[in-house]
Amino acid sequence: MGWYDRHRRDLPWRARPGQAADPYRVWLSEIMLQQTTVVAAIPYYESFVTRFPSIAALAAAPLGDVLAAWAGLGYYARARNLHACAQAVVTAGGFPRDLAGLRALPGIGPYTAAAVGAIAFGLPAVPVDGNVERVTARLFAIDTPMPAAKPALQAAAAALGADPDAIARPSDFAQALFDLGATLCTPTNPACALCPWRDECAGRRAGIAADLPRRAPKKLRPLRHGAHFWLTDPAGNVLLRRRPPQGLLGGMTELPGTAWRAAEWPVEEALRHAPMAADWRPAGEVRHGFTHFELHLDLFAARVDRIDAEGFLRPITVLAEEALPSVMRKCARLTIL
């Protein structure tokens, strides 16, 4: 694995080649990198480990603090599972050092168990993320469209992991595959001439490497509509509420509003869901994309002498400390500006 030793990317959660990695930091980074790019995750990761420097500190923190630190990363079930997993690990006295034990923890599936097991504990496992799928699809010329190709890609990755060098250095091998996909075997314009596997690559020999892995046509996401309300008082407070603990954006903070539904909300109907009677004015529209649907929100704003409504008040000046999901941060920016 001389290529990896020479070209290893310096990411804050990585260990040097041949060195042991901190399982807490490996696990945290892997959870953050689910549905999040490396560039986007790094500042959150660095802020998170400053605020929660150990898994014990994370386990002892209130869930609201964890959600607030996570706000902006999206997919907030990850943060709830992160907190539950930290508490389980602390109760057990540390991370399990086998794949079955890791998979039994909250929020840890086959990929994350393999990543933590290989990188932190040197277990002979190959974690298969998008980068590894791309490398294996090209190396073995697997042209079945995704996601139907996933079993074949898993089998191909396992075959790579059976190599004696991979078994001897599981941590370095896993990270080498990640970095190969991130730096050379990129989604577009792969640098095949620099690849250490260029001679063995069946996709390159067939002239189809840049087209792999093949993707099935994307399905159109349905559109949902909602209305939310920005209510303030002369003291500079805004009315907020907490979403139910389970479900989409569970436990996060939001502006009061309607349900999100397929039909648009006429103004008169939307205002019947306002938190209290006030001189409501249109304050703009927010659009936000979730994994399975697009959301269009109409925003209304009002200022009253005294807020008398269900929810809780927070000074506008400290909203950055609240566990507001990205869509609600968009609403806040729109009304503050």
Side-chain angles (χ1 to χ4, degrees), residues 79-148:
R80 297 193 297 274
N81 284 330
L82 190 84
H83 191 242
C85 184
Q87 293 178 329
V89 169
V90 169
T91 299
F95 279 97
R97 292 175 176 262
D98 63 278
L99 295 180
L102 288 168
R103 287 190 62 175
L105 292 170
I108 293 187
Y111 164 77
T112 304
V116 175
I119 298 171
F121 300 123
L123 300 179
V126 181
V128 182
D129 69 348
N131 284 320
V132 177
E133 286 180 339
R134 187 166 56 255
V135 170
T136 52
R138 291 170 174 174
L139 188 61
F140 293 90
I142 298 170
D143 62 358
T144 304
M146 297 288 279

Side-chain angles (χ1 to χ4, degrees), residues 273-318:
H273 293 266
M276 63 179 288
D279 185 16
W280 293 101
R281 59 177 176 80
E285 181 183 275
V286 167
R287 301 190 175 201
H288 189 76
F290 290 93
T291 304
H292 301 296
F293 66 94
E294 292 284 337
L295 179 64
H296 288 187
L297 297 179
D298 291 315
L299 196 61
F300 297 89
R303 187 182 183 195
V304 295
D305 291 335
R306 179 175 174 273
I307 297 176
D308 183 13
E310 184 177 351
F312 59 92
L313 303 182
R314 284 289 184 271
I316 296 172
T317 54
V318 299

Side-chain angles (χ1 to χ4, degrees), residues 109-262:
Y111 164 77
T112 304
V116 175
I119 298 171
F121 300 123
L123 300 179
V126 181
V128 182
D129 69 348
N131 284 320
V132 177
E133 286 180 339
R134 187 166 56 255
V135 170
T136 52
R138 291 170 174 174
L139 188 61
F140 293 90
I142 298 170
D143 62 358
T144 304
M146 297 288 279
K150 283 184 176 290
L153 297 176
Q154 289 279 354
L160 293 176
D163 182 273
D165 286 340
I167 294 173
R169 296 170 60 182
S171 174
D172 292 342
F173 184 73
Q175 294 177 87
L177 282 178
F178 295 160
D179 287 354
L180 183 64
T183 61
L184 297 183
C185 198
T186 50
T188 58
N189 301 317
C192 295
L194 301 177
C195 180
W197 277 335
R198 60 186 177 274
D199 294 335
E200 293 89 348
C201 182
R204 185 191 68 83
R205 291 198 302 270
I208 60 172
D211 299 324
L212 299 177
R214 300 196 189 281
R215 304 286 176 183
K218 287 186 177 181
K219 296 181 180 179
L220 290 177
R221 292 183 293 182
L223 177 61
R224 296 184 187 176
H225 300 270
H228 285 266
F229 301 91
W230 176 266
L231 183 62
T232 58
D233 64 15
N237 296 310
V238 62
L239 178 67
L240 302 172
R241 70 182 183 187
R242 193 83 59 194
R243 290 182 65 87
Q246 303 301 321
L248 182 65
L249 306 180
M252 302 296 288
T253 305
E254 69 174 359
L255 302 178
T258 67
W260 299 344
R261 69 184 191 187

